Amino acid sequence: MTGLKTNFSDSMASEFTVVQDVKRWHGYTVFFGGILLFQLLNLAVTKIGNPKSVRSDIDPWRWRNLFISWIHAAIVGTWDILCLVLYPEFMNDLIAYNNFFIYLMIPFSTAYFVYDSIDMIVNRMILKNWELSLHHIAVISMFWYNFHARICIGYNVLALMAEINSFFLHTRKLLQMCQVGFDTRLYKGVSYINLVTFLLCRMTSVSRIFYGMYDEGHRVPSFYFVILTMSMVIMAVINIILFWRLCQTDLLRTQDKVLKDKTITVNGNNNRNHLKVD
């Protein structure tokens, strides 16, 4: 996208460049519209209720919350891929590059995280899901500032690569709720894709953002850099913990099952041989 460019400068920033025809009100329109959209989805899913295949012990709120998160991941994950494919030039300047298509994705995604935080507060889940709450605080603080100031949109595109993985992460959990067996091809396929995309989409993007902080930290205000650093440390720690848990559940469990099956087979063969000898 082409457009007149001016220096974004105030008491807190100096070197940012923004495209004038991407107006701030565009972002806020999508932001508030997004919150309304996800609330309407909440009402619709609540009215429909849990599918019959979902385990009876599953809290309806858990299903509803995860299903709406899955919808967000599907939309934003697809949107993010299109950003990467259609506008690869944003990588040339992750701080200053901007256009309508990539910009509007940021307030839309911010709207979801705000909606989800409110949903957890209303349903008294904010403390029970403290890791998720911490994640949302880190994301909202940076995403809101970026779409408000219309800066670092390219870095947000990298950060939202995580939603590509979230689609498979949430699909995996929804399958568990629907009582799809761990040994089925569907579950195994989703779990392996989940682990691969976790490394490619989450770890790669976090690493690139950390590199950008080192390489381009001088281009952002000091207060922004401090908040960004805290947010990224939180995100990195959460991702490492989550990946380890996934490996324990989907990789180590599979290996343990294989070992148990081999043990049972060996013991069975030994018993049969023993019977034959007798």
PDB file of all heavy atoms in Angstrom, residues 17-31:
ATOM      1  N   THR A  17       7.349   5.821  11.917  1.00  0.00           N
ATOM      2  CA  THR A  17       6.749   6.323  10.697  1.00  0.00           C
ATOM      3  C   THR A  17       5.446   5.585  10.471  1.00  0.00           C
ATOM      4  O   THR A  17       5.422   4.361  10.530  1.00  0.00           O
ATOM      5  CB  THR A  17       7.684   6.090   9.494  1.00  0.00           C
ATOM      6  OG1 THR A  17       8.913   6.736   9.753  1.00  0.00           O
ATOM      7  CG2 THR A  17       7.074   6.653   8.238  1.00  0.00           C
ATOM      8  N   VAL A  18       4.376   6.323  10.225  1.00  0.00           N
ATOM      9  CA  VAL A  18       3.093   5.676  10.024  1.00  0.00           C
ATOM     10  C   VAL A  18       2.480   6.131   8.715  1.00  0.00           C
ATOM     11  O   VAL A  18       2.755   7.212   8.221  1.00  0.00           O
ATOM     12  CB  VAL A  18       2.111   6.000  11.178  1.00  0.00           C
ATOM     13  CG1 VAL A  18       2.632   5.435  12.481  1.00  0.00           C
ATOM     14  CG2 VAL A  18       1.896   7.493  11.310  1.00  0.00           C
ATOM     15  N   VAL A  19       1.645   5.264   8.147  1.00  0.00           N
ATOM     16  CA  VAL A  19       0.948   5.608   6.918  1.00  0.00           C
ATOM     17  C   VAL A  19      -0.305   6.380   7.299  1.00  0.00           C
ATOM     18  O   VAL A  19      -1.148   5.899   8.034  1.00  0.00           O
ATOM     19  CB  VAL A  19       0.574   4.324   6.141  1.00  0.00           C
ATOM     20  CG1 VAL A  19      -0.135   4.686   4.840  1.00  0.00           C
ATOM     21  CG2 VAL A  19       1.830   3.513   5.841  1.00  0.00           C
ATOM     22  N   GLN A  20      -0.418   7.603   6.766  1.00  0.00           N
ATOM     23  CA  GLN A  20      -1.492   8.491   7.188  1.00  0.00           C
ATOM     24  C   GLN A  20      -2.887   7.951   6.893  1.00  0.00           C
ATOM     25  O   GLN A  20      -3.813   8.181   7.650  1.00  0.00           O
ATOM     26  CB  GLN A  20      -1.342   9.863   6.521  1.00  0.00           C
ATOM     27  CG  GLN A  20      -0.332  10.763   7.219  1.00  0.00           C
ATOM     28  CD  GLN A  20      -0.392  12.170   6.673  1.00  0.00           C
ATOM     29  OE1 GLN A  20      -0.712  12.375   5.501  1.00  0.00           O
ATOM     30  NE2 GLN A  20      -0.065  13.133   7.510  1.00  0.00           N
ATOM     31  N   ASP A  21      -3.053   7.243   5.765  1.00  0.00           N
ATOM     32  CA  ASP A  21      -4.401   6.821   5.420  1.00  0.00           C
ATOM     33  C   ASP A  21      -4.866   5.599   6.199  1.00  0.00           C
ATOM     34  O   ASP A  21      -5.971   5.127   6.002  1.00  0.00           O
ATOM     35  CB  ASP A  21      -4.554   6.586   3.904  1.00  0.00           C
ATOM     36  CG  ASP A  21      -3.454   5.706   3.333  1.00  0.00           C
ATOM     37  OD1 ASP A  21      -2.613   5.245   4.125  1.00  0.00           O
ATOM     38  OD2 ASP A  21      -3.434   5.496   2.115  1.00  0.00           O
ATOM     39  N   VAL A  22      -4.038   5.067   7.092  1.00  0.00           N
ATOM     40  CA  VAL A  22      -4.498   4.079   8.060  1.00  0.00           C
ATOM     41  C   VAL A  22      -4.819   4.852   9.330  1.00  0.00           C
ATOM     42  O   VAL A  22      -3.951   5.185  10.119  1.00  0.00           O
ATOM     43  CB  VAL A  22      -3.424   3.007   8.337  1.00  0.00           C
ATOM     44  CG1 VAL A  22      -3.916   2.028   9.399  1.00  0.00           C
ATOM     45  CG2 VAL A  22      -3.076   2.257   7.065  1.00  0.00           C
ATOM     46  N   LYS A  23      -6.081   5.163   9.509  1.00  0.00           N
ATOM     47  CA  LYS A  23      -6.496   6.024  10.613  1.00  0.00           C
ATOM     48  C   LYS A  23      -6.712   5.221  11.892  1.00  0.00           C
ATOM     49  O   LYS A  23      -7.088   4.052  11.863  1.00  0.00           O
ATOM     50  CB  LYS A  23      -7.797   6.751  10.255  1.00  0.00           C
ATOM     51  CG  LYS A  23      -7.721   7.598   8.990  1.00  0.00           C
ATOM     52  CD  LYS A  23      -6.729   8.739   9.148  1.00  0.00           C
ATOM     53  CE  LYS A  23      -6.729   9.628   7.896  1.00  0.00           C
ATOM     54  NZ  LYS A  23      -5.736  10.721   8.016  1.00  0.00           N
ATOM     55  N   ARG A  24      -6.509   5.903  13.003  1.00  0.00           N
ATOM     56  CA  ARG A  24      -6.684   5.259  14.299  1.00  0.00           C
ATOM     57  C   ARG A  24      -8.124   4.799  14.513  1.00  0.00           C
ATOM     58  O   ARG A  24      -8.368   3.751  15.111  1.00  0.00           O
ATOM     59  CB  ARG A  24      -6.258   6.234  15.395  1.00  0.00           C
ATOM     60  CG  ARG A  24      -6.196   5.629  16.797  1.00  0.00           C
ATOM     61  CD  ARG A  24      -5.588   6.631  17.763  1.00  0.00           C
ATOM     62  NE  ARG A  24      -4.182   6.844  17.467  1.00  0.00           N
ATOM     63  CZ  ARG A  24      -3.537   7.997  17.676  1.00  0.00           C
ATOM     64  NH1 ARG A  24      -4.188   9.038  18.155  1.00  0.00           N
ATOM     65  NH2 ARG A  24      -2.251   8.098  17.399  1.00  0.00           N
ATOM     66  N   TRP A  25      -9.082   5.569  14.042  1.00  0.00           N
ATOM     67  CA  TRP A  25     -10.483   5.206  14.250  1.00  0.00           C
ATOM     68  C   TRP A  25     -10.857   3.925  13.521  1.00  0.00           C
ATOM     69  O   TRP A  25     -11.780   3.207  13.939  1.00  0.00           O
ATOM     70  CB  TRP A  25     -11.424   6.353  13.857  1.00  0.00           C
ATOM     71  CG  TRP A  25     -11.498   6.685  12.402  1.00  0.00           C
ATOM     72  CD1 TRP A  25     -10.795   7.647  11.745  1.00  0.00           C
ATOM     73  CD2 TRP A  25     -12.342   6.076  11.419  1.00  0.00           C
ATOM     74  NE1 TRP A  25     -11.130   7.680  10.410  1.00  0.00           N
ATOM     75  CE2 TRP A  25     -12.087   6.731  10.192  1.00  0.00           C
ATOM     76  CE3 TRP A  25     -13.299   5.053  11.454  1.00  0.00           C
ATOM     77  CZ2 TRP A  25     -12.736   6.376   9.004  1.00  0.00           C
ATOM     78  CZ3 TRP A  25     -13.938   4.701  10.268  1.00  0.00           C
ATOM     79  CH2 TRP A  25     -13.660   5.368   9.069  1.00  0.00           C
ATOM     80  N   HIS A  26     -10.120   3.615  12.451  1.00  0.00           N
ATOM     81  CA  HIS A  26     -10.345   2.333  11.777  1.00  0.00           C
ATOM     82  C   HIS A  26     -10.060   1.189  12.757  1.00  0.00           C
ATOM     83  O   HIS A  26     -10.816   0.212  12.837  1.00  0.00           O
ATOM     84  CB  HIS A  26      -9.429   2.194  10.561  1.00  0.00           C
ATOM     85  CG  HIS A  26      -9.703   3.199   9.485  1.00  0.00           C
ATOM     86  ND1 HIS A  26      -8.703   3.726   8.691  1.00  0.00           N
ATOM     87  CD2 HIS A  26     -10.850   3.761   9.060  1.00  0.00           C
ATOM     88  CE1 HIS A  26      -9.235   4.573   7.820  1.00  0.00           C
ATOM     89  NE2 HIS A  26     -10.532   4.606   8.036  1.00  0.00           N
ATOM     90  N   GLY A  27      -8.951   1.336  13.464  1.00  0.00           N
ATOM     91  CA  GLY A  27      -8.577   0.301  14.424  1.00  0.00           C
ATOM     92  C   GLY A  27      -9.577   0.162  15.552  1.00  0.00           C
ATOM     93  O   GLY A  27      -9.957  -0.951  15.935  1.00  0.00           O
ATOM     94  N   TYR A  28     -10.040   1.282  16.088  1.00  0.00           N
ATOM     95  CA  TYR A  28     -10.980   1.222  17.204  1.00  0.00           C
ATOM     96  C   TYR A  28     -12.353   0.717  16.765  1.00  0.00           C
ATOM     97  O   TYR A  28     -13.065   0.080  17.554  1.00  0.00           O
ATOM     98  CB  TYR A  28     -11.096   2.591  17.874  1.00  0.00           C
ATOM     99  CG  TYR A  28      -9.987   2.834  18.867  1.00  0.00           C
ATOM    100  CD1 TYR A  28      -8.896   3.636  18.545  1.00  0.00           C
ATOM    101  CD2 TYR A  28     -10.006   2.227  20.126  1.00  0.00           C
ATOM    102  CE1 TYR A  28      -7.864   3.845  19.453  1.00  0.00           C
ATOM    103  CE2 TYR A  28      -8.986   2.422  21.033  1.00  0.00           C
ATOM    104  CZ  TYR A  28      -7.917   3.238  20.699  1.00  0.00           C
ATOM    105  OH  TYR A  28      -6.895   3.424  21.601  1.00  0.00           O
ATOM    106  N   THR A  29     -12.723   0.983  15.527  1.00  0.00           N
ATOM    107  CA  THR A  29     -13.988   0.445  15.014  1.00  0.00           C
ATOM    108  C   THR A  29     -13.945  -1.073  14.980  1.00  0.00           C
ATOM    109  O   THR A  29     -14.888  -1.756  15.422  1.00  0.00           O
ATOM    110  CB  THR A  29     -14.275   0.986  13.592  1.00  0.00           C
ATOM    111  OG1 THR A  29     -14.365   2.408  13.630  1.00  0.00           O
ATOM    112  CG2 THR A  29     -15.570   0.413  13.048  1.00  0.00           C
ATOM    113  N   VAL A  30     -12.844  -1.611  14.477  1.00  0.00           N
ATOM    114  CA  VAL A  30     -12.678  -3.069  14.433  1.00  0.00           C
ATOM    115  C   VAL A  30     -12.549  -3.629  15.848  1.00  0.00           C
ATOM    116  O   VAL A  30     -13.083  -4.704  16.155  1.00  0.00           O
ATOM    117  CB  VAL A  30     -11.439  -3.442  13.590  1.00  0.00           C
ATOM    118  CG1 VAL A  30     -11.132  -4.931  13.708  1.00  0.00           C
ATOM    119  CG2 VAL A  30     -11.660  -3.067  12.132  1.00  0.00           C
ATOM    120  N   PHE A  31     -11.874  -2.903  16.721  1.00  0.00           N
ATOM    121  CA  PHE A  31     -11.670  -3.345  18.101  1.00  0.00           C
ATOM    122  C   PHE A  31     -13.001  -3.529  18.828  1.00  0.00           C
ATOM    123  O   PHE A  31     -13.300  -4.616  19.353  1.00  0.00           O
ATOM    124  CB  PHE A  31     -10.788  -2.331  18.834  1.00  0.00           C
ATOM    125  CG  PHE A  31     -10.629  -2.606  20.304  1.00  0.00           C
ATOM    126  CD1 PHE A  31      -9.904  -3.710  20.756  1.00  0.00           C
ATOM    127  CD2 PHE A  31     -11.205  -1.768  21.242  1.00  0.00           C
ATOM    128  CE1 PHE A  31      -9.754  -3.962  22.114  1.00  0.00           C
ATOM    129  CE2 PHE A  31     -11.062  -2.006  22.600  1.00  0.00           C
ATOM    130  CZ  PHE A  31     -10.335  -3.103  23.038  1.00  0.00           C
TER     131      PHE A  31
END
